[in-house]
Amino acid sequence: MLMEQVLLALTPLMIGTALLGVTLGIIWGALPGLSTTMAMALLIGLSTGMSQSVAIMFMLGVYTGSVFGGAISAVLINIPGTPDAVPTMMEGYPLAQRGEGGLALGTAIAASFMGNWVGIVLLISFIPLLLTLALEFRSWEMFLLAMWGIAISGTMASGEKPLKGWISGWIGLLIAFVGLDSIHGVSRFTFGSFTLDDGISYIPLLIGLFGLAEVLRVLPQDSPTGIPTQVGRVVPPMRTLFKYSRAAVRSGLIGTIVGAIPGAGANVASFFSYDIGRRRASKEEQKKWGKGSYEGIVCAEVANNANIGGSMLPTLTLGIPGNAAAAAILAALELKNVVVGPTIQTENPGLIFFIYIGLIIANFLMYGMAIVLIKPCVKLFSLPQTLILPMIIPVCVIGAFAVRLSYFDVYLMLSAGVAGYVLHRFGFPVAPMVLAVLLGPLADENLRRALVIFEDKEWWSVFTSPIGDILILVVLYTFYDGIFRRRG
Amino acid sequence: MTQNESSEPPEEKAHFTGEEGGGERTTPRKDLGAAVVIGILAITAMAFSLRLEVPTSIYTAPGLLPFLTGLSLLAMAIGLGVGAIRDGGSKDYFAAARAGAQNYLSQQEARRTLLLIAVLVFYIFLAGQISFNLRLPTPFFVFQFSSWEAISMPILAAILWFFWRAPIWKCGLFSILMIFFLAGIFRYAFHILLPAVG
């Protein structure tokens, strides 16, 4: 089965698709204001016309490329292409000003390559274990897991005010309930509209919240065009990685673990790893942090790229997306009728192997294309955002329409975009809402199934499952930590 | 030892406030307003959940989790509201909210955002009302031109003209090329239907 998937992934069509995805991802990530999640959300539309394998390869390419792409503008114009590239900017831009831009970008490429490998190796190592564990999950545990996913996503997304993250998630749950309920077929919150009976499609929602809302937020700002510093020769210095190998391995582990926590994405990973790296650096190295440290770049870039593999762990094994970008991957998979979760191996034999190989191919292509694309990207930076961002608008419209060929979804995308802008103005994160829309049906169905099982038993029988008990404690701790610890 | 030579790492720059942040954009007054809206939403959701039919037992009732979600959302809205009041969000609320709204509208960026929203609403509404698709066979392929392209070109040109501030002919030319390019990619390369009604 593994060999079949390797041969499938190595066909010219697949390599070409991955190359297209990586190229689009790097360019997208490099352009300031265009985030990884935005790339993923908008390019789902492009994947609707593709076959299952081609679409998966394309989305993995976009994911891998766009996470790295943010480093290019961060180093060269002091504007992070994606939010997770802020630590890279803090260290890379001073280096570029000293004429070491090429070496700084080379370090970022090598670190991203290494980070992806750490993420992939840990993904391959832990998937069998997680799948075995996931098979022990019954309805009650799945319900608790979905609720924990939404709660922790709220905590991780909003940082100082977890309550706002939870509110965003709970609103997402209410959105997820719209439509015919899956057990009795009763219409919920549809107000007599047959269009709403099918429920609210999460792809227009993703496109609106991460695509259009960003355009509404960034386009009206009078952002100056970046003036790139000299790049010089871009050589990924593997020797630098060896010099900082301990920091690289530590950052890879941090990135993967953070990626596996729902809602915690590349931003948390790169900041967390950068902060720990700064504290653990030698006294000599610490003096360079903030003024141009290669170790700082290694810490941030290894972590945000390792995050990709980490985010795929809960996505594939439990159906709980590791972050908003993984939610877009999940949406793309569901669009192709791939049911992820504990039964992924039996329902889609070989798919996991294909994803492993897809990630490896995308990583190699990212390494090569990053070197090739840096100089063209520098030319792109001279284009004003006011020229690039309006182009996103027609892509949002086509993407929202393409999934179900329904113009209602275009209205939905517009509403989500405006709502996303308002939520941003009021300091509410949107990632928990998207995760909740994806996880809502899972939580609803499993809670009701579990309650039927518990119906004829004593009330305390809900505490008889060890995994369920652990999950109850984890959910309670997440709320406790969010309410009390952060207040102090 | 000079300041530059200090071994202390730079603390101030690595400040992180969560995956999306948000704390810096909010005020107690905004939180109080949000809490009221969310509270109303939660109560509405609970009311509609209670009105849903219960085909068998309460345990499998379609409104069970929506009701519980509404109830917990109401508790969160109360929590947000209480916190906002404690931080002084209720002080001269209406006068301050009016001043806040006036302050928002006095910002050029905010006015530009509202204008952009208005243009987008008009664009999407218009594209949802008009539907045609012209097909022109050529020796190589069937060239198509739909209502979506016809509507998108002038709208995109207007947005570019307003935000990019280039000469109108440049904006028009750029939008025509861009829409043809996007339509070509989606329609011919990926066989994806372009937006249309009906």
Side-chain angles (χ1 to χ4, degrees):
Chain A
M1 193 185 291
L2 175 64
M3 210 54 215
E4 269 174 41
Q5 301 302 320
V6 172
L7 292 174
L8 173 66
L10 289 176
T11 54
L13 174 67
M14 291 297 170
I15 303 276
T17 309
L19 189 68
L20 176 69
V22 167
T23 307
L24 284 174
I26 291 177
I27 295 172
W28 201 290
L31 291 170
L34 310 186
S35 66
T36 300
T37 317
M38 188 191 202
M40 307 283 289
L42 291 185
L43 293 172
I44 289 177
L46 209 60
S47 74
T48 51
M50 300 173 181
S51 70
Q52 189 192 82
S53 314
V54 174
I56 293 170
M57 191 60 104
F58 177 69
M59 294 304 286
L60 292 176
V62 173
Y63 195 5
T64 308
S66 59
V67 171
F68 165 73
I72 303 176
S73 53
V75 171
L76 296 180
I77 57 171
N78 203 28
I79 301 172
T82 51
D84 53 276
V86 171
T88 308
M89 176 193 79
M90 279 151 46
E91 301 303 334
Y93 187 65
L95 288 169
Q97 282 180 310
R98 295 206 298 259
E100 295 173 39
L103 200 57
L105 275 173
T107 306
I109 295 170
S112 300
F113 185 69
M114 163 90 177
N116 276 323
W117 269 116
V118 176
I120 294 166
V121 168
L122 291 177
L123 174 72
I124 296 171
S125 310
F126 283 99
I127 269 202
L129 181 75
L130 263 179
L131 276 176
T132 313
L133 187 71
L135 284 170
E136 298 298 318
F137 282 48
R138 305 278 178 265
S139 298
W140 178 235
E141 289 84 358
M142 284 310 288
F143 163 71
L144 288 169
L145 191 70
M147 295 311 288
W148 176 70
I150 299 165
I152 190 73
S153 160
T155 307
M156 299 308 290
S158 47
E160 287 168 359
K161 278 199 170 179
L163 187 60
K164 288 196 157 182
W166 300 334
I167 287 173
S168 172
W170 258 240
I171 294 173
L173 273 177
L174 290 178
I175 296 170
F177 298 141
V178 174
L180 290 181
D181 104 272
S182 57
I183 294 183
H184 298 295
V186 172
S187 285
R188 294 190 293 198
F189 308 141
T190 60
F191 309 104
S193 160
F194 293 117
T195 316
L196 284 176
D197 273 348
D198 285 341
I200 288 185
S201 169
Y202 36 76
I203 292 173
L205 211 68
L206 260 174
I207 295 173
L209 289 173
F210 290 106
L212 196 65
E214 282 297 293
V215 175
L216 291 175
R217 200 171 62 77
V218 182
L219 183 58
Q221 294 170 3
D222 247 336
S223 317
T225 308
I227 301 158
T229 50
Q230 283 298 313
V231 189
R233 196 161 157 245
V234 180
V235 186
M238 284 300 174
R239 261 189 310 173
T240 309
L241 266 194
F242 286 122
K243 189 178 168 193
Y244 300 119
S245 55
R246 273 182 65 184
V249 172
R250 183 185 60 232
S251 305
L253 288 171
I254 291 171
T256 312
I257 294 166
V258 168
I261 300 170
N267 301 358
V268 175
S270 67
F271 273 90
F272 192 36
S273 167
Y274 177 79
D275 193 44
I276 290 181
R278 184 171 52 86
R279 290 168 203 278
R280 305 293 291 267
S282 65
K283 288 265 183 258
E284 193 61 33
E285 192 64 42
Q286 274 188 356
K287 289 177 192 167
K288 297 179 190 165
W289 283 67
K291 302 179 195 98
S293 159
Y294 286 103
E295 189 176 355
I297 295 177
V298 169
C299 287
E301 286 300 310
V302 168
N304 63 17
N305 284 274
N307 190 268
I308 298 173
S311 71
M312 298 300 283
L313 260 173
T315 310
L316 296 175
T317 55
L318 302 166
I320 312 266
N323 55 37
I329 287 264
L330 187 66
L333 287 170
E334 288 193 11
L335 200 65
K336 297 293 168 193
N337 299 319
V338 176
V339 179
V340 291
T343 55
I344 188 169
Q345 294 272 52
T346 46
E347 288 188 33
N348 306 279
L351 181 75
I352 282 191
F353 296 124
F354 182 77
I355 290 173
Y356 297 157
I357 300 156
L359 284 170
I360 292 169
I361 290 172
N363 193 26
F364 277 111
L365 291 174
M366 183 277 292
Y367 188 84
M369 289 310 291
I371 298 169
V372 173
L373 286 171
I374 282 174
K375 291 203 170 149
C377 278
V378 171
K379 286 208 172 72
L380 275 180
F381 296 149
S382 56
L383 295 175
Q385 278 190 29
T386 46
L387 177 67
I388 297 165
L389 284 168
M391 302 305 142
I392 306 290
I393 297 167
V395 182
C396 287
V397 175
I398 301 174
F401 177 78
V403 178
R404 295 197 297 187
L405 302 180
S406 157
Y407 204 80
F408 172 78
D409 286 348
V410 180
Y411 290 121
L412 183 64
M413 182 275 300
L414 174 68
S415 313
V418 176
Y421 170 74
V422 174
L423 287 170
H424 177 85
R425 293 282 313 180
F426 279 76
F428 287 89
V430 291
M433 186 182 286
V434 171
L435 254 71
V437 173
L438 278 162
L439 296 178
L442 183 87
D444 182 37
E445 248 183 79
N446 282 294
L447 172 69
R448 286 150 75 194
R449 278 202 202 120
L451 289 179
V452 169
I453 296 166
F454 293 133
E455 192 174 359
D456 301 323
K457 298 178 182 169
E458 297 293 336
W459 66 269
W460 45 261
S461 59
V462 294
F463 300 110
T464 52
S465 147
I467 298 173
D469 294 349
I470 292 169
L471 282 168
I472 290 172
L473 289 175
V474 168
V475 171
L476 290 176
Y477 180 76
T478 303
F479 285 113
Y480 168 81
D481 182 57
I483 295 167
F484 298 105
R485 283 264 301 274
R486 277 155 207 272
R487 194 180 283 172
Chain B
M1 188 185 273
T2 63
Q3 206 178 354
N4 282 347
E5 285 169 331
S6 163
S7 61
E8 279 301 303
E11 286 284 349
E12 72 290 351
K13 280 187 167 181
H15 180 63
F16 178 64
T17 54
E19 186 72 15
E20 292 182 45
E24 72 287 356
R25 295 187 297 272
T26 191
T27 60
R29 209 162 285 123
K30 273 185 178 178
D31 283 355
L32 185 59
V36 172
V37 174
I38 293 160
I40 293 169
L41 175 76
I43 292 167
T44 312
M46 284 159 66
F48 278 106
S49 306
L50 286 174
R51 285 173 57 185
L52 291 172
E53 61 177 295
V54 183
T56 49
S57 79
I58 186 79
Y59 297 105
T60 60
L64 178 66
L65 193 55
F67 180 80
L68 295 175
T69 305
L71 190 65
S72 42
L73 186 61
L74 181 63
M76 288 179 199
I78 291 169
L80 185 68
V82 168
I85 290 169
R86 204 181 290 149
D87 293 340
S90 61
K91 210 173 163 188
D92 301 326
Y93 183 81
F94 290 104
R98 205 175 304 121
Q102 279 167 356
N103 180 40
Y104 173 74
L105 290 172
S106 68
Q107 294 165 16
Q108 195 196 31
E109 188 188 315
R111 288 201 304 269
R112 286 154 67 105
T113 306
L114 293 176
L115 178 79
L116 182 60
I117 292 173
V119 171
L120 288 178
V121 170
F122 173 71
Y123 165 47
I124 287 170
F125 178 76
L126 193 68
Q129 299 302 310
I130 303 167
S131 186
F132 64 81
N133 194 23
L134 303 176
R135 298 166 70 89
L136 187 74
T138 69
F140 309 104
F141 69 106
V142 179
F143 174 78
Q144 295 182 51
F145 186 77
S146 70
S147 52
W148 179 78
E149 284 144 287
I151 295 163
S152 298
M153 284 170 183
I155 297 283
L156 187 61
I159 293 173
L160 282 172
W161 182 67
F162 189 76
F163 290 101
W164 186 28
R165 296 183 197 125
I168 187 82
W169 68 266
K170 223 172 171 179
C171 298
L173 184 69
F174 197 83
S175 74
I176 289 169
L177 291 175
M178 206 61 215
I179 294 294
F180 272 134
F181 173 73
L182 283 176
I185 294 267
F186 279 90
R187 183 185 281 141
Y188 303 113
F190 291 94
H191 305 288
I192 292 167
L193 289 178
L194 295 184
V197 205

